Amino acid sequence: MNNQFDDILKRYEAARSAGSSIYLEPDDLTDIAEYYHLHGRLTDAIEAIDLAINMFPGATQPLTFKARVAILVNRNAAEAMQWAEKIDDKTDLDYYYIVAEIMVADQRIDEANQYLKAKENDVCDDDLEDYYLDVATLFADYSCTDITEEWLKKSSLTTDPQYRELQGRVALGKGQFDLCEQIFDKLIDDNPYNTDYWNTMALAQFQQGDTTACIESCDYALAIDPVNADAHIHKANSLAIIGNYPEAIKFYKKLQALQPYSESPDMGIASILAAQNHPQEALAHLKTAEKLATSTSPNKLEILRQQCILNAQLGNRAEALACIRKMDELPDRNTAENNVLRGYLYLLENQPEVARVWFKRAVEASNNDLRIQTLIAYSTYECGYTQFAHDLFREIMDGGLGKNMPEGWAFLALCDADLGLRSEFLADLHQAVLQGPLRSKPMLEGIFPEGTPFENYEEYAKEHPELGAWPTSNRES
């Protein structure tokens, strides 16, 4: 907080505690509401913004805040538009932005883009550059990368920090993680106290699997702003990946306190509980996450998918199928993936021929997408059909997927070891070790004695000719 805002907040809180009235400008009350919202105090935020609306019924900023609460918290676009329409000045750029944001949040992205293009004609020349960057930022906030880039190209402010930040976010959206890091490295050099820069850097590092660097970036962000929600989620996810479950849960719970209406903390905790073989407890958190997420949430599909898998593993076939039916009804449903799940259920019930029918339908629905074939291979392996998984994955990796899926070699080495294919095991292990420990080690560490360094896996395998020389499990092949 800066000193001026700190003084305003103290005056406001003193007046509220005393039960007395206080006059503040609408922008000041909106700043107070945003501060409370950032700290997970939604009730206090609404109280402040309602006071602002009562004092200044048509003011833009309080009504914009109220509309954003309606779409982001209540997930109610109709309610949001009702608040937006109360804004007196409908030529205010913020009015254009909130109307468009409501459309985007309501999955009417093309409509929002066309609306803002039409409004461009009403923007005065002096405001056009700001308009281009603000619109690009709006779409970037909703991960609409192509539209963000489209609006960014309209701007000539190529050295402006907001422009460069958007360039970095576009690179992130396109999977150009190295470029994203380069851009944000320079931005951080110029402004090392910007938490948004650190968080985007952390996300790029996380996407590349560099959890150590991601955690370090999050720590910088949290040193600047200890209640920063993005830094909490990125750090929690990284801690979970490296197996530091107690610390990960601690950060998920901190995020829960900051954003009690978000499904992300329960999803993270559920993933840890599932990894620790506590499926019932994991399901309870996924149920909570499902209630918090709406049908338009990008997390809804994954929540239901995880519920389906856990229910299947627990033998709750009816519940698992109910999850798939819910997934079939979602706007971002993936028919091929859902059919893989159906095949997986039948494999668990030892009905491989029925499973093959669903797997075939999945491949057909995906137009022979290699990712779907990969999901099938993993599913069959988990159900004990190792030979089937091995043969399918060998075909996939030999088809050139190895460069894009380094963990595939580790998966093949795992199948080789189970099947007693010694020569293949050594060759695939070599490829897995070349790819590095991040994705390979979690799959392979169960084959080697506890504590064996990843870099010694090949040497250990060569020195122990029995490893991978004959089938070592009771899995159905």
Side-chain angles (χ1 to χ4, degrees), residues 410 436-446 452-454 457:
L438 186 68
R439 297 184 180 179
S440 300
K441 185 179 179 181
M443 289 189 185
L444 294 172
E445 58 189 356
T452 304
F454 178 79
Y457 279 8

Side-chain angles (χ1 to χ4, degrees), residues 149-260:
E149 189 172 31
E150 176 187 344
W151 282 92
L152 190 60
K153 287 178 179 177
K154 292 174 178 281
S155 174
S156 61
L157 302 178
T158 56
T159 60
D160 187 275
Q162 187 179 0
Y163 183 100
R164 289 158 58 205
E165 179 183 358
L166 286 164
Q167 273 188 317
R169 294 175 70 180
V170 167
L172 180 66
K174 289 183 169 183
Q176 299 168 343
F177 304 124
D178 286 340
L179 175 59
C180 178
E181 282 200 63
Q182 291 171 18
I183 292 170
F184 278 92
D185 262 333
K186 293 178 181 178
L187 286 168
I188 288 169
D189 284 343
D190 295 337
N191 185 0
Y193 296 102
N194 187 310
T195 54
D196 289 339
Y197 294 170
W198 284 112
N199 281 325
T200 308
M201 174 74 86
L203 185 55
Q205 291 160 339
F206 180 83
Q207 294 289 357
Q208 292 183 91
D210 193 348
T211 51
T212 300
C214 177
I215 290 171
E216 184 177 333
S217 295
C218 291
D219 285 339
Y220 278 113
L222 290 169
I224 299 164
D225 179 11
V227 295
N228 189 277
D230 288 340
H232 278 85
I233 188 65
H234 297 329
K235 184 167 183 177
N237 289 342
S238 293
L239 289 165
I241 283 180
I242 64 176
N244 190 343
Y245 295 147
E247 279 295 300
I249 287 178
K250 183 172 79 173
F251 276 89
Y252 283 130
K253 287 185 175 179
K254 285 183 178 181
L255 178 65
Q256 213 164 32
L258 291 171
Q259 295 185 335

Side-chain angles (χ1 to χ4, degrees), residues 4 29 119 131 141 183 191 193 203 241 280 312 359 401:
Q4 183 178 2
L29 287 166
K119 290 299 181 184
Y131 185 75
D141 287 344
I183 292 170
N191 185 0
Y193 296 102
L203 185 55
I241 283 180
Q280 292 288 6
F359 289 151
L401 192 63

Side-chain angles (χ1 to χ4, degrees), residues 328-349:
D328 285 336
E329 296 171 0
L330 293 177
D332 57 344
R333 62 187 174 274
N334 187 311
T335 300
E337 288 186 9
N338 292 355
N339 286 343
V340 173
L341 282 174
R342 287 184 169 94
Y344 173 66
L345 293 182
Y346 280 105
L347 279 184
L348 287 175
E349 295 179 345

Side-chain angles (χ1 to χ4, degrees), residues 295-408:
S295 59
T296 57
S297 168
N299 292 323
K300 188 78 170 186
L301 198 63
E302 181 61 19
I303 291 168
L304 290 169
R305 191 180 76 84
Q306 292 298 330
Q307 281 191 46
C308 175
I309 291 171
L310 288 174
N311 275 310
Q313 291 171 351
L314 289 166
N316 304 330
R317 185 175 187 276
E319 290 86 344
L321 285 171
C323 290
I324 297 176
R325 285 194 291 270
K326 288 181 183 179
M327 293 165 69
D328 285 336
E329 296 171 0
L330 293 177
D332 57 344
R333 62 187 174 274
N334 187 311
T335 300
E337 288 186 9
N338 292 355
N339 286 343
V340 173
L341 282 174
R342 287 184 169 94
Y344 173 66
L345 293 182
Y346 280 105
L347 279 184
L348 287 175
E349 295 179 345
N350 295 315
Q351 299 185 55
E353 294 309 314
V354 181
R356 284 176 187 270
V357 172
W358 285 108
F359 289 151
K360 182 180 178 182
R361 291 180 183 179
V363 172
E364 291 172 349
S366 71
N367 294 318
N368 295 309
D369 186 346
L370 287 177
R371 189 175 61 85
I372 292 300
Q373 295 181 48
T374 301
L375 288 175
I376 294 171
Y378 275 103
S379 297
T380 53
Y381 179 82
E382 287 180 12
C383 293
Y385 291 83
T386 311
Q387 189 68 58
F388 182 95
H390 169 273
D391 293 348
L392 179 56
F393 225 85
R394 175 66 68 197
E395 182 180 341
I396 290 170
M397 298 301 283
D398 288 348
L401 192 63
K403 292 182 179 179
N404 299 320
M405 192 177 178
E407 66 269 29

